[in-house]
Amino acid sequence: MACRLPGAPDLEAFWELLREGRDAVTDVPEGRWTLPHPAGGDGAPVADPGTRRGGFLDDVDGFDADFFGISPREAAAMDPQQRLMLELSWEALEDAGVLPGKLRGSRTGVFTGVMADDYATLARRLGPEAVTRHSVTGLHRGLIANRVSFAFGLSGPSMVLDTGQSSSLVAVHTACESLRAGTSTLALAGGVNLNLAAESAVATSRFGALSPDGRCFTFDARANGYVRGEGAGVVVLKPLDRALADGDVVYCVVLGGDVNNDGATDALTRPSAALQAEVVSAAQRAGGVRPADVGYVELHGTGTRLGDPVEAEALGAVFAATRRPGEPLRIGSAKTNVGHLEGAAGIVGFIKAALCVSRAELPPSLHFEHPNPAIAFDTWGLRVQREVEPWPGKGRRVAGISSFGMGGTNCHVVVAEAPPVQAARLVGDQPEDGSVVLPFTAKSVRALRAQAGRLREYLERWPDAAVGEVARTLVTRRTAFEHWAVVAAHDPAQALDALHALAEGSPHTALTTGTAATPPGKLAFLFPGQGCQYPGMGRGLYGRLPVFTDALDDACHALDEHLQHPLRDIILAQPHTPQAELLTRTDYTQPALFALTTALYHQLRDLGLTPDYLIGHSIGEITA
C-alpha cells in the first residue's frame, strides 16, 4: 500500500496520525481557492461557508518528472492527479516487494477512482492560447489510470471509475472482481482527489454539503456537513494463494464486496437505509461472513445531518440482532482526521481498515462528544471508537468498509486479517562480528543522498531491524538504477555515520559510491574447473542461506547414488579428516565442484543476478 494524505506523507505517518488522534485539517493554504477576477487575474479568496478550512497536501506541485521519463513541458500540462498516481503506484509496488520493471507486458490491471479534475478548470482559465500539444492527454481524466499502465508497460484492464464519493472503493471491488475472473493477474487499485479550483469548493458549499465549522462531526449531534480533504492512496492486490506462495507481507485479505444503488428515493441525493443495509449484507454473503464476525466498520461517516442517521439505521438493520450486551459494533471514520476526500474517500477508509486488522488496534474517531439523538446507538448495537484500543474479541479480525456516492452508488467491502505467512528468507544471519553491508541505488546523486537519509531514519527508528533482511530487500526487491552506494561498516553505529555522510554529500571510510555503465554491460558467470577445490568449501554458507542449502542438497542427493561416500560430507568436511582427503580424488573433486557451483549459481540468481552468458572450464563447462 501507499498513500499521500493531509498530515501524512506516507503509510506509517498515516497510522501515527490515526493512533495519536490528530486532526490534519487546517486553514486553506495561501494561493488556493481564489476565484478569477472579471478583469483578469486572481481575485479574492473564496468566502463561502465551509471553504475556509480543509485537509491539504504540502507539496501538490512537486513531481520528479525525470524519474518517469517525462519532459518538463509535458509534466506541467499534466493534472497533478496523474503525477500523484504515478508516484504512489511505484511506492505501493515497492512496498509489496514487486519490481515495477518485471511487470512490463503483464496482465496487471489499474483501477482508479476519480470524480473531479480541478486542474482542467485552472488550465481553461488561461484561455485558448495556453493550450499545448500535451493539454488533451494532460487533462483527460481517463488517462489518470492509463498513464500508470503506459509508464509501467502494463497490459491488463486500465480504467477510471466515477461513482461519486464511492469511486475509489468501487475501484477496489472492481479490481478484486477482475482478479477473480482472471482478466488481471495483479491489480493496482486506489483513488485520488486534489482540491485545486475555487469553483469546486464554491459548488460544494452552495450545494449545502460543507460544515461551517470546518470539521466532520461524524455521528455527533453537531453534525452539519463535512470538510473537504485531498490526497490519494493505492493498494496492490493479488490472489491470496499466490501471495502466500511468494512469502509476501499481507496487510489484509479482501473476503468480499458488493455495489448497488439507492434507486428512486425522494431526491437524487437522498440515501436509502434499506439499500445501504442490503449492500452491507450482500458483501458479507459474498465473503462468507456473518454479521457477528465483524468487529469494526469504517464508516462512510461524512458528518451530515441526513447521511449519518441513515447510515446508522442501515448498520443497525444488519448488526443489531447479532450484538451481545456490552459488545457493540465499533465504528469510526478517517474523515474526522483528514477530511472527506470525495472520490478518494473510499481508499482512505480501506487503507485504515487494512492497517487496523493487520496491527490489531482501533484508533479513535475524532469530534465525537455528543451522540446524535437521531441515532439509537444502544438499540442498533453501535459504539463510536473514541480512543486507541486493542482489537475487540479474540476471533479472526474482520472489518467492513462503507463508501456511498451522492448519486446513490453504494459500496461495501469486507476485509480480514491475513493467515500466517512464512517469514521471508534472510540472506543470512547477522554476521558474528556485527558488520553491516547495505547496497542501494538511485537515478541521480541527489536521489541517492535522499535514499541514504531515509535508510538512516529507518534504522534509527527500528534499531532491532534485521540488517540481513534489510540488505536482502535492497538487493532483490528494489529497482537497480545507475547511481549506487554500498555501506560496508564494522558495526551499526558506523553504518549510520556513513549513511549520514552520504546524505550530507561527504566522504566516509565505510562508504563506496559509483555509477553503473549506461547501457549496462552483459553479465557472465564463469564456472571453474578442477584445482580450485579446498576442504570445507561452502561451509560458511550451508545452513545459513536457504537457497544455497537446498540446491546443494539436491545436487548431492542426485550424485550420491553414483558414489561410495556421501558427497555433502566430503564438501563440508573439516581439513585433515578422512572425508577431506577424498576431495583430492578426481572421482570426488569433480562432482563436488559441480554440486557447489550449481548451488552458488542458484543463490546468485535468488539475489537478483541474472546472467546473460554461462561459460566454464573443465567440469565447469558441464556445470554451465
Side-chain angles (χ1 to χ4, degrees), residues 10 12-13 16 359 456-464:
D10 55 42
E12 204 60 42
E16 288 183 1
R359 305 192 181 193
R456 182 174 186 269
E457 290 175 3
Y458 175 83
L459 293 174
E460 285 180 328
R461 179 172 183 176
W462 307 102
D464 296 331

Side-chain angles (χ1 to χ4, degrees), residues 250-275:
V250 182
Y251 289 98
C252 70
V253 180
V254 182
L255 299 180
D258 193 59
V259 177
N260 72 6
N261 192 274
D262 289 331
T265 56
D266 294 343
L268 175 63
T269 60
R270 186 178 184 87
S272 164
L275 271 298

Side-chain angles (χ1 to χ4, degrees), residues 346-369:
I347 195 64
V348 178
F350 182 91
I351 290 175
K352 176 185 172 182
L355 291 170
C356 288
V357 298
S358 66
R359 305 192 181 193
E361 277 192 329
L362 293 179
S365 190
L366 309 184
H367 315 316
F368 182 78
E369 298 175 7

Side-chain angles (χ1 to χ4, degrees), residues 219-242:
F219 281 31
D220 191 274
R222 296 168 293 170
N224 57 1
Y226 67 81
V227 60
R228 303 183 79 206
E230 67 180 12
V234 174
V235 299
V236 180
L237 299 161
K238 67 193 295 188
L240 178 61
D241 57 353
R242 281 183 43 215

